[in-house]
Amino acid sequence: MKPTQEQKAFVEDLLSRMTLEEKIGQMNQESPSIVGGFDVPFHELIEMLTDGRISQEEFGKIMANAKQDYHEDDIRAGLVGSMMVKEPRENNRLQKIAVEESRLGIPLIIGFDVIHGFRSVFPIAIAEACSFDDDLFEVTAHMAARESRAHGINWNFAPMIDAARDSRWGRVSEGPGEDPLLGSRFARAKIRGLQNDHSSLLNYVAACTKHYVAYGACESGRDYNTTSMSVSNLYNVYLPAFRAAMDEGAATVMAAFNDLNGVPCTVNKWLLRDVLKGEFGLDGFVVSDANAIRECVIHGIAEDDRDAGVEAALAGMDMDMGTHIYKDYLKAEVEKGTVPPEVIDEAVRRILFVKVWLGLFDNPYVPEELIEAYEKGLPKEHVALCRRAAEESMVLLKNESVILPLDRKQKISLVGTLADDRNEVCGAWAMAWKPEDCVSIRAGLEAAGANVSYYPCGGPEGELNEEEIASACAEGDVIVAVVGETDAMSGEASSKADISLPGKQRVLLEKLLASGKPVVTVLMNGRPLALGWEAEHLPAILEAWHLGIRMGDAVAAALLGDVNPSGKLSSSFPAVTGQCPVYYNHPSTGRPGSKSKFTSRYLDAPWEALYPFGYGLSYTGFAYDDLQIHKIGKCLEITVRVRNTGERTGTEIAQLYTQDVSASLVRPVKELKDYRRIELKPGEEKKVIFVLPLDSLGFYDNEGKYRLEDGLFRFFVGGSSRDCMMKELRIKF
Ligand code: GLC
């Protein structure tokens, strides 16, 4: 998104007429703050709730009297550049104050967390990434952009593209999994979907790729924890998705909370100025994460708020989310000379450019008729798209003795509180869905004409109901157990030291198995779970994640065979939590794990993932043969034949991996380089062609330099990172 000459001229003219306060105002983002209605500051109220001095109900009663301050006076004075509000008429009202009552009439950029849909919520990112469907990634983002604009939101704090290998971290749910290539393709598609439809101001928003950078590498999977790694690891694993997003023209970036190698990203000049704005060429602006500038004092990199604000501004942090530190301190610091005025001008230039690019100076308002349309209901095509996304994101992990798909004649005992709770289908970071738009698994099965009875035997929390369990086991021909996590068990601040099934759900499954009836397990979860026991004892397991508003329809269709699951895991699943972090693209080590003692293994657990990246079954089968590699100019053409060996049409996701067998740095045993979705009828076979540029076989060294080194390479093609055909080839660049 390079600024045009006209846009540059507009920004320069406006900048030249702004006072220092007005410039700093553009760098200040506000949220409605809770005020009044009680006699203690809001943060004190939260502490009182957290340490139990007041109960949840007392808190609720107090909040019922609370008023919200939308900072109208500061907006009128030109001291606010951005707000975070989701109510469309509120957004129109605030824009009107900014445009018609402030001195220069600069509109607000209004941001919100629209991570996987606004009202039409589609699967959480870790699930959607299992579709390996770039077209799907793009069209769901385009839908989110249109729904955002229809609510006065013109900036999405999305896509979240943090690579993550440790599923103890709750935010693994928000991103596209462990692989840099899948993450990069996901990032590009999301940026295109959010930003590229300029056919109307109501069809695109500014993206905000986050969290820059390596937030997913937080030590021990504990949220906000420290991260440290080599430069080569940073460049080869955690930066690729951000580089891809910048190449695709992402408008903004949100810095991550964590420190990286001792310097918090929020004040990390090398990351923000040298890499992001310099090497990657960000044309838009960087925003801090919530309160992150103030937290630099707690990190221990700044003595006080003023110091943190100066460090952030000098490091290239353009906008302050929620602390008012820029608003309170930067003017004095510019006048003292600690912050050069050019630093302010650069930040404000970037912010104004994005506002111009968004067309906000032409029209920042939402038409009333559009607001009313959404009040009447969701566009049918949005609902249909949510269902498509849900269907493509499920992963069949196990299907012993072909219990699945079920027959509509079978009497189903549906078990588990998650199965009947439409409020749980959207998962973490979905903030605008309405219950009436959501379909539970129970409702989906009933609507699909299944012969189903429901038994609330227990769930992720609380006790089991023995009577209901007994009835479920007695009544049904087959038991469908829906188990997993509530939406509050993943997402931000949801790290767990034990990622096996929470509560008494494993006990529930044992009791169901003891009935002797066939048991189908449907997982509703936001993160990979440690499923060693389940994989050993359960005959059929369908990973259904949190699939969004049409989860119930999609799961019912998969269980009844109307849909053949095609998803492949975007993140590895461990057998036990102690294996975390576990991922496929690891270095070999000098003693790769094996059955012999003196190798990289555990005495008490498997050394490999239970279900690896790229794994997923189907109701049919696929066979690969005739792998061929031909060098054509500066590319390799890699072909393979894939055949449907079963009785059902199915979609296979063929994956291409490579290994640089010997290099100046040890390289992963496999790296995903391409993938292709292919639909095959029973008995049908197709030739899949991958065209791989030779210069994609390189890697970044510890100076951040990209290296192409002659030598032996291995090429793998198959239906998962573990189950592949392989050919070797010596390459000379
Ligand atoms: C949160 C999250 C970030 C989100 C922001 C605004 O703390 O880290 O992902 O966009 O605050 O809600």
Side-chain angles (χ1 to χ4, degrees), residues 53 164 167 227 254 309 360 368 442 550 601 703 719 730:
R53 280 179 282 156
S167 301
T227 64
M254 183 182 295
L360 297 182
E368 181 58 26
R442 177 184 183 183
R550 305 317 281 195
R601 61 196 286 274
E703 281 71 49
R730 194 160 287 284

Side-chain angles (χ1 to χ4, degrees), residues 69-80 93-94 97 101-102 327:
D69 171 4
Y70 282 81
H71 308 284
E72 291 89 340
D73 294 344
D74 282 348
I75 294 173
R76 200 168 285 114
L79 302 180
V80 180
R93 182 180 73 85
L94 297 172
I97 294 171
E101 299 178 32
S102 74
K327 176 168 160 273

Side-chain angles (χ1 to χ4, degrees), residues 84 113 115 157 171 174 210-211 215 224 254 257 289-290 321 429 431 492:
M84 205 192 300
D113 289 292
I115 315 297
F157 300 138
R171 301 198 79 164
E174 293 172 58
K210 66 184 186 181
H211 305 79
Y215 182 25
Y224 319 114
M254 183 182 295
F257 287 119
D289 203 335
M321 181 185 283
W429 284 109
M431 335 255 269
E492 185 170 357

Side-chain angles (χ1 to χ4, degrees), residues 178 244 607:
E178 69 193 45
W607 64 88

Side-chain angles (χ1 to χ4, degrees), residues 319-338:
M319 186 182 281
D320 165 16
M321 181 185 283
T323 73
H324 309 146
I325 286 172
Y326 278 7
K327 176 168 160 273
D328 295 344
Y329 296 99
L330 276 191
K331 179 170 182 289
E333 294 310 312
V334 172
E335 287 159 354
K336 271 163 47 184
T338 44

Side-chain angles (χ1 to χ4, degrees), residues 340-370:
E342 301 75 43
V343 165
I344 304 298
D345 285 353
E346 185 231 336
V348 178
R349 200 169 274 126
R350 289 173 175 271
I351 294 166
L352 292 178
F353 162 53
V354 174
K355 290 188 176 184
V356 172
W357 176 82
L358 280 166
L360 297 182
F361 290 90
D362 303 324
N363 180 1
Y365 302 111
V366 193
E368 181 58 26
E369 60 272 17
L370 188 53

Side-chain angles (χ1 to χ4, degrees), residues 113-129:
D113 289 292
V114 185
I115 315 297
H116 53 112
F118 187 70
R119 277 276 305 275
S120 301
V121 175
F122 46 91
I124 54 175
I126 193 173
E128 192 187 17

